[in-house]
Amino acid sequence: MELKQKLEILADAAKYDASCASSGTDKRTSSDGKGIGSTTGMGICHSYAPDGRCISLLKILLTNFCVYDCVYCVNRVSSNVARARFNVEEVVNLTLSFYRRNYIEGLFLSSGIIRNPDYTMEQVVEVARVLREVHDFRGYIHLKTIPDASPELMARAGLYADRLSINVELPTIASLHTLAPEKDGQAIRRSMGHLRLKIDESKDKTLTGKKPPRFAPGGQSTQMIVGADATDDRAILDTSANLYGAYKLRRVYYSAFSPIPDASKMLPLKSPPLVREHRLYQADWLLRFYGFNTEEIVTGNDGMLDLDVDPKMAWALQHREQFPVDLNSAPKAMLLRVPGLGVTSVARIISARRVRAIRHDDLARLRVSLKKILPFVVLPDYHPGHSLDHHDLKQQMQQVMPPQQFGLFEPV
Ligand code: SF4
């Protein structure tokens, strides 16, 4: 099969994986004339989808042949799709030539499972090794690891990759058992635990002060498919909170289930609304950076996020008694709960109010949506009056920021 034809098949097959943002790695460059590529700097094409996904990586599968039969996956063994397989040299050459043309900033490599997990993982690691050791490639590499592969292979992957990821695939171990019976949810978590230890070790200085070997400086991430099973948003976010806490993941990516050809009857016929995926990302940020817990974020009795307004707004609308918040005296934790105020604007407010009182005019300089925050704050020269009591406040807020979700494969 022609290389171009393989690329068409294996790049298309990789598009279902959303876990490829390139944040958080260490800086390397070849601007001194040594090596090739860099993880930062001029000449690298960064392109992000509106929800933050990096789309400038060469994102391919080594192969879409797979011996497993996960019912939600287009590459499962029983699926009737065109199959292809790259060899190591082909992936290396594609990465280098695309990099030289400035099409990409790095490589995201995943694979179906051929023969067995160790054999597959060896091939994936070999691509990264050849890029690093033979070609001195200094660009970004994200390897999707195979959960059941040996810890030794995982350890080698971490030497070459910037980021490693293992997909938990589904929000609960029970769902995984039903829809991907060959996968072992406990083994996935064990592998994440091993990676966490290796990543932590790589950050420790030994007693001699010697730097430990590099290991996946961009940390580890995972992906969960949303809407392939009946798990509600509360349980999804509980799983995320657990993964962040137990394995120090950099990111949990949420990928709305896309119906696949010849799908099993166990799967829904339709994708969930894409805005659900968007709300989960917003809720995920509240968990990690805004001091919310899952119970607070999920305001619906049905365990689902409100799709009409963002999760912070939904919480504020249900807790109107906690507003208006005085921007000049409220603690940081409360400022972070004001709809429309982000982490950066809260930091600016705290710094500015040390010098003098913040007034209405100052808000414009914070570049925040005034319509969104004004009902919830009080200032020396501004009071929201009875706006918090308006029965149609939610509708007003919906008009300020109507929900908008871009599809993963739509042009941006
Ligand atoms: S192991 Fe991965 S590639 Fe294979 S069927 Fe399952 S999800 Fe698809």
Side-chain angles (χ1 to χ4, degrees):
M1 189 185 280
E2 295 250 329
L3 189 65
K4 192 162 167 260
Q5 208 180 344
K6 286 189 192 178
L7 188 57
E8 269 169 31
I9 294 171
L10 294 172
D12 187 68
K15 72 185 182 184
Y16 297 96
D17 203 308
S19 51
C20 61
S22 64
S23 59
T25 186
D26 53 4
K27 290 183 180 170
R28 292 186 304 279
T29 174
S30 53
S31 55
D32 58 0
K34 292 184 191 146
I36 177 170
S38 68
T39 53
T40 179
M42 297 287 290
I44 296 171
C45 173
H46 284 280
S47 180
Y48 290 90
D51 54 6
R53 292 174 198 176
C54 176
I55 52 172
S56 64
L57 304 173
L58 172 60
K59 186 175 167 185
I60 47 174
L61 300 188
L62 188 66
T63 178
N64 66 341
F65 285 101
C66 189
V67 293
Y68 284 18
D69 204 25
C70 311
V71 296
Y72 49 82
C73 178
V74 74
N75 301 319
R76 67 197 185 282
V77 67
S78 59
S79 172
N80 185 24
V81 289
R83 307 276 178 174
R85 178 177 169 184
F86 283 130
N87 61 38
V88 169
E89 201 189 344
E90 285 170 329
V91 178
V92 168
N93 288 341
L94 276 172
T95 307
L96 293 175
S97 59
F98 279 17
Y99 205 104
R100 288 193 177 103
R101 293 182 179 119
N102 206 19
Y103 293 168
I104 56 163
E105 65 160 320
L107 171 68
F108 174 88
L109 186 62
S110 181
S111 183
I113 297 171
I114 30 174
R115 290 198 210 168
N116 58 55
D118 274 355
Y119 176 79
T120 312
M121 191 70 200
E122 262 173 28
Q123 307 277 301
V124 169
V125 172
E126 184 62 5
V127 169
R129 187 197 69 77
V130 173
L131 278 168
R132 295 286 193 229
E133 291 188 351
V134 178
H135 297 279
D136 198 9
F137 180 72
R138 302 182 186 196
Y140 183 83
I141 297 180
H142 180 158
L143 297 182
K144 178 61 52 91
T145 58
I146 314 289
D148 299 322
S150 72
E152 292 72 34
L153 281 166
M154 295 284 197
R156 278 180 51 208
L159 296 179
Y160 304 118
D162 293 284
R163 177 169 284 183
L164 296 173
S165 55
I166 306 176
N167 284 354
V168 292
E169 307 284 14
L170 292 161
T172 67
I173 290 182
S175 298
L176 191 72
H177 185 68
T178 310
L179 299 180
E182 290 142 311
K183 289 198 168 174
D184 177 348
Q186 298 298 354
I188 291 172
R189 280 157 178 79
R190 265 199 307 279
S191 295
M192 284 177 162
H194 283 140
L195 289 185
R196 179 196 163 165
L197 288 177
K198 298 291 288 179
I199 291 166
D200 284 351
E201 275 170 28
S202 72
K203 288 179 184 148
D204 280 347
K205 286 246 165 89
T206 60
L207 286 175
T208 60
K210 224 172 128 191
K211 221 175 152 200
R214 174 189 189 278
F215 191 91
Q220 60 170 325
S221 59
T222 194
Q223 171 178 284
M224 252 190 269
I225 303 167
V226 174
D229 65 344
T231 311
D232 64 24
D233 293 341
R234 183 175 288 129
I236 289 174
L237 291 168
D238 276 341
T239 298
S240 301
N242 176 273
L243 293 171
Y244 284 125
Y247 308 108
K248 287 200 197 156
L249 295 193
R250 279 292 174 98
R251 290 292 302 272
V252 174
Y253 292 88
Y254 306 94
S255 177
F257 166 72
S258 330
I260 49 172
D262 308 318
S264 152
K265 288 201 177 77
M266 283 189 270
L267 293 173
L269 294 172
K270 283 200 313 188
S271 302
L274 274 173
V275 71
R276 181 178 173 202
E277 182 190 281
H278 182 57
R279 295 288 180 236
L280 282 166
Y281 275 112
Q282 291 175 317
D284 184 284
W285 278 73
L286 295 187
L287 279 180
R288 290 187 293 145
F289 303 115
Y290 289 80
F292 282 83
N293 62 45
T294 311
E295 280 307 312
E296 292 174 307
I297 294 171
V298 183
T299 51
N301 292 332
D302 56 356
M304 302 299 277
L305 292 165
D306 190 333
L307 298 185
D308 297 332
V309 289
D310 68 71
K312 193 173 9 157
M313 178 65 78
W315 179 84
L317 290 168
Q318 282 205 349
H319 295 86
R320 298 184 198 201
E321 75 287 352
Q322 305 217 25
F323 297 94
V325 164
D326 187 335
L327 288 191
N328 285 295
S329 61
K332 180 181 174 187
M334 197 58 215
L335 291 180
L336 285 169
R337 291 186 173 232
V338 175
L341 287 185
V343 173
T344 308
S345 39
V346 166
R348 285 196 191 128
I349 287 170
I350 290 172
S351 151
R353 75 188 188 184
R354 285 196 195 108
V355 183
R356 63 172 177 81
I358 294 170
R359 304 179 76 81
H360 184 278
D361 280 353
D362 298 318
L363 292 182
R365 284 190 278 278
L366 289 173
R367 289 197 219 112
V368 291
S369 162
L370 288 184
K371 281 191 182 154
K372 200 170 178 184
I373 73 167
L374 283 178
F376 299 95
V377 298
V378 64
L379 295 154
D381 56 346
Y382 170 79
H383 193 283
H386 294 293
S387 53
L388 279 169
D389 301 329
H390 286 177
H391 66 280
D392 65 345
L393 186 57
K394 182 174 176 184
Q395 285 73 13
Q396 288 175 31
M397 291 299 114
Q398 272 176 261
Q399 280 155 18
V400 174
M401 299 232 20
Q404 193 183 17
Q405 171 68 49
F406 295 86
L408 183 56
F409 312 119
E410 286 167 14
V412 294

